[in-house]
Amino acid sequence: MQKKIFVTREIPQIGIDILLQYYEVDIFPKKRPITKEEMISGAMDCDGLLPLLTDKVDAEVMDETGIKAIANYAVGVDNIDVAAASQRNIAVTNTPGVLTDATADLTWALLLSVSRRIVEADKYLREGNFLGWDSMLYLGGDFAGRTIGIIGLGRIGQAVARRAAGFDMNIIYHSTSPHPNLERSLGMKRVSLEELLKESDYVSIHTPYNKETHHLIGKKELEIMKPSAYLINTSRGKIVNEEELVVALVTGKIDGAGLDVYYHEPKVHKGLIDLPNVVLLPHLGSASMYTRSKMAMMAAENLHMALSGERPENIVNPEIYDK
Ligand code: GLV
Ligand code: GLV
């Protein structure tokens, strides 16, 4: 009998076409995140599951459906109970690498938008307020000679650092491991989180979300930052205490923020919506056409390898093969 795959939402067809060569493929048809009940009923008796980062895949989903492999359509796997998958010998894969540049680009789009007040100024013009060049109109921040603090120096953090070097910035980073070669080539320095927060004009977050990074940036950390500093988050919302971020923005503890991710995604804190000094995007980090197609191909190939008994290239829980 042909094996079956359940895909929790429409993804680029190029990935579906790969799966269709080998499997029967069922795609959740609605244009909204799937509920857990819908995921369980859709994936019932399927061999493989291809979920999005919006879909929480827990032990119950695994046990109810009997899936044998999960190919997450994302680099972050915080939506999946990986430990539960490992206990059940279920392979979990992700899509690292292909979305690095797109996410780093979007980080820069936020840095530039917030600092140079792009969104506010665009709105001002559209509302018919532009009456001629004005030497005091929408004055913003600088990049050359300023300091960017990068929290987490994985692939995306490194790509942000390379872009920062192109903007002639001082680069400091906080990471569990040192990167001496990059320090030399980009002239950057590894510092403690406290020093990074104290020194940076821009703080950009690029760690995965897990128990250690939950609320990594809270009241104390925001208070250490410069009042003129900006916070950019394109990783995961729960790394920042959003309540405290709103307080910091309202009380001028920091100058602004650029966010692509939220604590209660897709809900966005009402306090953020009301603030002019933040730019808010609907989780677009990897949203370039090329990247999303590559992610679809990668997830499909990962799933096929896992279901063929081979070790997928992007395995998140390799321990299931080393038992
Ligand atoms: C996006 O947020 C991802 O993890 O791929
Ligand atoms: C993403 O690809 C990362 O590891 O930073």
Side-chain angles (χ1 to χ4, degrees):
M1 212 176 69
Q2 204 178 21
K3 288 185 179 163
K4 276 167 60 178
I5 306 288
F6 185 62
V7 182
T8 61
R9 184 96 178 249
E10 185 189 356
I11 61 166
Q13 187 62 32
I14 194 161
I16 302 297
D17 287 343
I18 293 174
L19 292 174
L20 282 172
Q21 293 174 43
Y22 314 100
Y23 307 101
E24 188 183 323
V25 180
D26 208 2
I27 306 171
F28 182 65
K30 307 226 166 107
K31 293 215 178 296
R32 60 158 171 81
I34 197 166
T35 65
K36 185 163 160 180
E37 292 67 39
E38 289 166 333
M39 182 159 43
I40 289 175
S41 88
M44 194 60 77
D45 301 323
C46 280
D47 301 275
L49 178 67
L50 197 158
L52 311 191
L53 60 90
T54 46
D55 313 329
K56 196 164 156 32
V57 184
D58 58 15
E60 191 187 344
V61 173
M62 299 171 199
D63 290 339
E64 293 284 321
T65 60
I67 45 172
K68 296 176 187 67
I70 303 167
N72 211 33
Y73 185 72
V75 63
V77 288
D78 46 287
N79 57 309
I80 296 174
D81 187 342
V82 177
S86 297
Q87 279 165 11
R88 291 160 179 76
N89 275 320
I90 299 174
V92 178
T93 66
N94 66 344
T95 62
V98 290
L99 45 67
T100 301
D101 285 320
T103 307
D105 290 344
L106 191 92
T107 302
W108 272 89
L110 281 172
L111 280 159
L112 289 161
S113 301
V114 173
S115 172
R116 296 301 298 270
R117 307 177 65 183
I118 302 294
V119 176
E120 284 174 85
D122 176 277
K123 181 158 177 276
Y124 166 92
L125 180 145
R126 284 170 202 264
E127 288 173 354
N129 300 313
F130 183 35
L131 303 176
W133 190 84
D134 178 340
S135 76
M136 300 308 285
L137 195 58
Y138 288 111
L139 305 187
D142 290 284
F143 290 94
R146 300 298 191 271
T147 298
I148 185 168
I150 299 174
I151 301 177
L153 207 69
R155 297 178 191 80
I156 299 170
Q158 291 177 23
V160 169
R162 284 195 298 275
R163 285 155 178 72
F167 277 78
D168 295 328
M169 299 184 79
N170 303 320
I171 311 168
I172 54 179
Y173 73 99
H174 177 67
S175 161
T176 44
S177 47
H179 295 265
N181 292 339
L182 280 171
E183 287 182 23
R184 265 192 301 279
S185 62
L186 298 178
M188 63 181 185
K189 198 170 111 210
R190 182 170 175 228
V191 296
S192 67
L193 181 60
E194 183 168 344
E195 191 175 342
L196 180 144
L197 295 166
K198 204 184 293 172
E199 298 297 322
S200 298
D201 300 295
Y202 302 88
V203 172
S204 194
I205 303 173
H206 301 287
T207 55
Y209 175 67
N210 53 41
K211 278 203 289 296
E212 283 75 46
T213 60
H214 180 79
H215 283 189
L216 185 67
I217 303 298
K219 184 171 166 33
K220 179 171 133 251
E221 289 72 26
L222 290 159
E223 277 173 1
I224 300 174
M225 286 174 68
K226 294 183 184 178
S228 57
Y230 298 101
L231 180 71
I232 307 297
N233 189 6
T234 55
S235 53
R236 284 292 182 269
K238 289 191 168 75
I239 296 173
V240 177
N241 182 332
E242 209 169 69
E243 293 289 338
E244 293 297 342
L245 174 61
V246 171
V247 172
L249 287 162
V250 169
T251 58
K253 291 261 178 337
I254 66 173
D255 201 29
L259 306 173
D260 191 37
V261 290
Y262 305 90
Y263 204 94
H264 297 290
E265 218 170 294
K267 268 205 232 112
V268 179
H269 195 295
K270 167 87 170 59
L272 291 171
I273 302 273
D274 292 339
L275 288 171
N277 53 333
V278 297
V279 174
L280 306 171
L281 295 178
H283 204 148
L284 295 180
S286 63
S288 81
M289 289 213 268
Y290 170 79
T291 299
R292 289 283 164 87
S293 297
K294 289 290 282 188
M295 286 166 66
M297 291 164 69
M298 223 166 152
E301 279 155 11
N302 283 329
L303 204 47
H304 180 49
M305 285 186 79
L307 291 177
S308 312
E310 284 174 65
R311 181 184 167 126
E313 203 172 323
N314 310 115
I315 185 77
V316 170
N317 54 347
E319 60 272 18
I320 67 163
Y321 295 100
D322 302 332
K323 277 180 185 166

